[in-house]
Amino acid sequence: MEIRQLRHFMAVVEEGGFTAAARAELIVQSALSTSVRNLERELGADLFDRTGRRVVLTEAGRALLPQARALLAGAVAAKEAVAAVAGLATGRVSIGTIQTLTCVDLPAELAAFHREFPGVQVSVKDATVGELTEALRAGELDLAYLAPDGPGLPDGLSAFATWHEELVLITAPGHPLAAAGRTLVRDLADEAFIDFRAGTGLESAVRRLAAHCRLERRITCDVTQIRLLVDLVRAGIGVAFVPRPIGEEAGLPCVRIRQPEPGRTVVLAGRAPRPRNPAAVALLDHLTGAAPAGAGRRGGRRPDAG
């Protein structure tokens, strides 16, 4: 049983199919399918039920899943140990992010990190807060930007830097609220809303705000891509709560909400107390020193070693 075969098996699980898994692994689908078939032949059991439109794990596949994760994590740890000796001439770091991250220019910061450590491969994943949290706890991610749906993080995770983001209501140009520039949450009962996907930090913050103000929103559309949400608002289908930079970048009216002023907390999180992966430590040190003045950062200074 080879590490490569286990990686291909996990790719099918995470991507939901062989075609998407082959794209993620940058190989042709026939090669990935052969790799998984060879693994099944070696283990003496089918790992996937391929009879439906979507491949699903068999009982044998479900039994292999935690073991495959552990073996792959061990292989990564071995590579990280070698990378530490090599002084980060090579290595790999995985970081997750919410799709609506605005407090940090992540592409720019990763580009600067790449210039400093060109041999380190960076893997970036955007997902819901719950998915990112589980990936951190399972060791599949080293770091992640989260917007927690609560006052703290789960056991075993630490917040290395914290930001507070202002939420505003974006509307189509010419909307009556755009001229006013500000409104109260209780005055939005007759508005049609466009909502972001459930489980995201933005959706959680908006849901808490509506519940606090006893606002029953009339949701006409929910989406999974923030750009689509902005385009739908621009088209006049509804209004939406977003972090202010998203509305300003889109050029849409940003209506300030009074009483209460809505916001959300974003944290850069990882496994406590500090990553063991040297590449992740280097990226953490870079990111915790990268937030610009005025970004609302709290606790964003470089953490003490150890």
Side-chain angles (χ1 to χ4, degrees), residues 73 76-77 80 91-97 113 120-125 132-146 156-158 160 268-284 287:
V76 170
E80 290 166 358
R92 180 183 175 91
V93 57
S94 298
I95 184 168
T97 180
F113 178 78
V120 175
Q121 181 182 354
V122 180
S123 174
V124 183
K125 173 181 181 178
L132 294 174
T133 300
E134 287 306 308
L136 278 176
R137 300 181 75 175
E140 296 166 6
L141 289 176
D142 296 295
L143 302 165
Y145 286 97
L146 309 174
L157 299 184
S158 289
F160 300 120
L268 174 59
R271 292 184 298 283
R274 190 161 165 83
R276 289 183 295 177
N277 173 6
V281 172
L283 180 58
L284 175 62
L287 292 173

Side-chain angles (χ1 to χ4, degrees), residues 184-193 215-218:
L184 300 174
V185 173
R186 66 169 181 258
D187 293 337
L188 301 175
D190 294 331
E191 295 294 332
F193 279 84
L215 172 67
E216 293 192 11
R217 292 177 300 148
R218 179 165 57 91

Side-chain angles (χ1 to χ4, degrees), residues 228-273:
L228 179 58
L229 180 146
V230 167
D231 289 341
L232 290 173
V233 170
R234 193 191 312 278
I237 294 178
V239 300
F241 288 105
V242 298
R244 178 178 286 277
I246 290 178
E248 291 178 343
E249 183 178 348
L252 291 176
C254 297
V255 181
R256 183 179 176 185
I257 302 298
R258 299 182 293 128
Q259 298 179 2
E261 294 184 356
R264 68 171 181 177
T265 298
V266 176
V267 301
L268 174 59
R271 292 184 298 283

